[in-house]
Each structure stands twice: as structure tokens, then as C-alpha cells.
Amino acid sequence: MTINATSVAAIGAGRYRVDVAAATATSHEVTLPRDYLATLGLPTVPAERMIEESFRFLLERETNTSILREFSLPLIESYFPDYRAEIKRRLHP
């Protein structure tokens, strides 16, 4: 799926709103656990960049209307076992 526009905005401590513009626009609320970036070996990656790239990953595999409306970022790996390795490859400094 081609992303027309994706915006990420902080809405609270560790919580972000992601809006995806597509044929059917969607909004999602994503939680990024405090130590998750460090766990992945990506402690210097900005949270917004991590979430944006995670949505790119998801949108390459499913439509925006299929993505959960609210979830914690580590949940992606439960659905897509290659997520951890792929996100590290994409964002490794």
C-alpha cells in the first residue's frame, strides 16, 4: 500500500496518535514502552521515527483499516515475527 500521508503526534507519556491518510483515513493510538528502543538496540532513535517506520512496515503487509486502532508497539512482533529484525535493519544508526 502506498502511504499518502502519515502523521505521528505525542499525546501523552509514551502515547502517540498516528493518522494515516488513504482511501479510508484511519487514526491509531500507539503506546511505546519506555525501554523498548533500548531493548531493540536503538536507544538514540526518536520515538516518532520508530513509530512512523513501524507503520510503514505494517502498511507494506496490510491495509490501514486492518491495523488495530490501539496497541502497544511490541505487539507487532506477535503478528509479524520478522518485525524486530526488519525494524532494526531499517533504523540502525
Side-chain angles (χ1 to χ4, degrees):
M1 170 184 180
T2 301
I3 306 168
N4 295 331
T6 301
S7 66
V8 178
I11 57 171
R15 297 190 67 77
Y16 299 84
R17 178 184 166 115
V18 180
D19 294 315
V20 180
T24 300
T26 57
S27 292
H28 311 266
E29 194 167 311
V30 180
T31 303
L32 178 61
R34 183 185 344 193
D35 296 331
Y36 190 57
L37 289 169
T39 298
L40 294 176
L42 302 169
T44 61
V45 172
E48 289 86 353
R49 176 77 178 107
M50 174 67 173
I51 292 167
E52 180 182 27
E53 196 59 42
S54 295
F55 264 78
R56 288 187 192 287
F57 173 90
L58 289 171
L59 291 166
E60 290 167 2
R61 290 157 177 78
E62 61 185 342
T63 64
N64 63 312
T65 56
S66 296
I67 298 172
L68 296 172
R69 300 298 179 168
E70 187 173 336
F71 63 96
S72 183
L73 212 57
L75 183 64
I76 296 172
E77 196 170 2
S78 299
Y79 292 94
F80 301 100
D82 62 326
Y83 170 71
R84 181 180 290 245
E86 179 62 17
I87 206 70
K88 287 171 68 172
R89 184 191 66 75
R90 293 181 186 206
L91 295 175
H92 196 272

